[in-house]
Amino acid sequence: MKKKLFILFVFTFVTSTAIFSQNKNFDKIVLLQPNEVLSERCPNIQELSNYIKNIQKEIQYFEKNNSIGNGYIIIALRPVAKSNVWFDIKESKNLDSLKTKILSVSPCHVQGGVVLFAISNLDNPQKNISIQPKEWTEFIKNNKDLQNIEISLLVDAIWPPEITKNEKKDLLKLINKFKDEKIFTEKNLQKYSDIITYATESEIIKIGINSECWPSEISENEYGPMFLLAYICGNMEKQLITDVYINSQEEGIQFELMKYEQLKKINKNISYKFFEDMLKN
């Protein structure tokens, strides 16, 4: 049902916008991946619909003062809230300005990898489709082994997943802030939701959670969410500092232990065997 719904959405969205548009408006959506991939990576179809509509608004505003040629605007989305744009359009100027406007639109949520689609003003953009942005052709020219590669893998090679310097800086700052946190209510822990978002959605950071690092004695008590956050913080901090993105369970557990010691200073009656055994060693 989910896959059928995705196909229906795309068909309805493209045809309904075309009814009210001139032929050369960028009103046609071309999917560049199998429906199975898109349905898995776009969990909220309405979010994707709104995102596309917002991009089309930016294109329409741009066209009021600029002439855009015929072709394709290719858009890629990545976790966590990342987007990129390429153009396969002939005889156009100021496309860098249009790219900036498109990138200013907040990306919709995607998961599990890159999502690709194109917006076109051609009469029949899916007929004999051959999308060749200049940056792609130059990249393939210098990497001939990529000539027949599937488009998602090509985009992964051209635009690999990464954590930017600013993202890394912000995450480490938030982790350091949590080290001194002494209020462990669920509401207060929401301040650190970006850490959880990156842990669950990033294509780079690797976090493994099992009973060895978060046993039922810990996960099922009132401080379970806090200790889970602590484990993620220690694990992620190690990866961000070393730039080695592998599961770092030991560092995660040590962060949990640190928060446990802080908790015991607040409530001396608390005693969890999982941590008490570590303190004895």
Side-chain angles (χ1 to χ4, degrees), residues 4 28 92 126 150 156-157 182 203 205 237 249 265:
K4 290 181 180 178
K28 303 174 187 69
S92 281
Q126 299 194 63
E150 191 268 330
D156 278 338
K182 304 242 180 358
E203 299 169 79
I205 293 171
E237 182 181 46
Q249 180 170 293
K265 291 178 180 178

Side-chain angles (χ1 to χ4, degrees), residues 33-178:
Q33 293 167 302
N35 186 66
E36 290 78 10
V37 173
L38 288 169
S39 60
E40 287 176 5
R41 296 183 180 181
C42 293
N44 190 319
I45 292 173
Q46 189 58 51
E47 278 190 14
L48 178 61
S49 170
N50 293 338
Y51 175 68
I52 292 174
K53 289 176 182 177
N54 289 334
I55 288 176
Q56 289 182 308
K57 287 179 183 177
E58 291 295 338
I59 296 170
Q60 290 170 4
Y61 294 150
F62 184 82
E63 283 185 301
K64 290 180 179 179
N65 300 308
N66 302 272
S67 176
I68 304 179
N70 298 325
Y72 301 89
I73 299 173
I74 305 97
I75 297 163
L77 298 170
R78 276 196 180 287
V80 179
K82 293 182 171 70
S83 61
N84 209 340
V85 181
W86 298 273
F87 300 97
D88 185 2
I89 296 175
K90 311 304 180 187
E91 301 177 359
S92 281
K93 298 178 181 180
N94 301 323
L95 290 183
D96 285 344
S97 176
L98 177 57
K99 180 175 181 177
T100 299
K101 290 181 179 297
I102 293 174
L103 291 177
S104 70
V105 178
S106 298
C108 64
H109 170 73
V110 300
Q111 61 189 25
V114 69
V115 167
L116 286 166
F117 63 91
I119 302 176
S120 179
N121 63 351
L122 299 176
D123 291 335
N124 190 357
Q126 299 194 63
K127 183 178 181 180
N128 300 320
I129 184 172
S130 178
I131 294 179
Q132 296 180 329
K134 181 181 178 182
E135 298 92 336
W136 293 18
T137 56
E138 289 179 353
F139 188 85
I140 292 172
K141 183 179 179 180
N142 296 323
N143 299 271
K144 294 185 178 180
D145 56 320
L146 299 177
Q147 285 184 349
N148 297 314
I149 195 171
E150 191 268 330
I151 191 168
S152 295
L153 298 178
L154 174 61
V155 170
D156 278 338
I158 295 171
W159 182 46
E162 67 169 348
I163 297 177
T164 67
K165 290 182 180 180
N166 285 337
E167 288 172 329
K168 183 183 294 188
K169 179 181 176 181
D170 289 343
L171 285 169
L172 288 172
K173 183 178 180 181
L174 203 55
I175 290 170
N176 281 325
K177 182 178 180 181
F178 181 60

Side-chain angles (χ1 to χ4, degrees), residues 193-249:
S193 60
D194 282 353
I195 295 172
I196 301 297
T197 298
Y198 272 84
T200 55
E201 297 182 11
S202 172
E203 299 169 79
I204 299 176
I205 293 171
K206 303 295 186 292
I207 306 286
I209 300 173
N210 54 39
S211 59
E212 291 182 8
C213 61
W214 198 47
S216 57
E217 177 192 23
I218 306 304
S219 62
E220 295 174 5
N221 71 60
E222 62 180 306
Y223 296 107
M226 184 275 285
F227 285 120
L228 176 60
L229 176 60
Y231 173 76
I232 291 172
C233 282
N235 200 326
M236 184 186 295
E237 182 181 46
K238 173 71 171 180
Q239 296 179 47
L240 294 173
I241 289 174
T242 61
D243 280 328
V244 178
Y245 293 96
I246 59 174
N247 184 44
S248 300
Q249 180 170 293

Side-chain angles (χ1 to χ4, degrees), residues 19-33:
I19 290 172
F20 301 103
S21 304
Q22 299 298 321
N23 267 348
K24 294 305 179 182
N25 283 359
F26 281 85
D27 53 33
K28 303 174 187 69
I29 313 303
V30 181
L31 304 181
L32 302 177
Q33 293 167 302

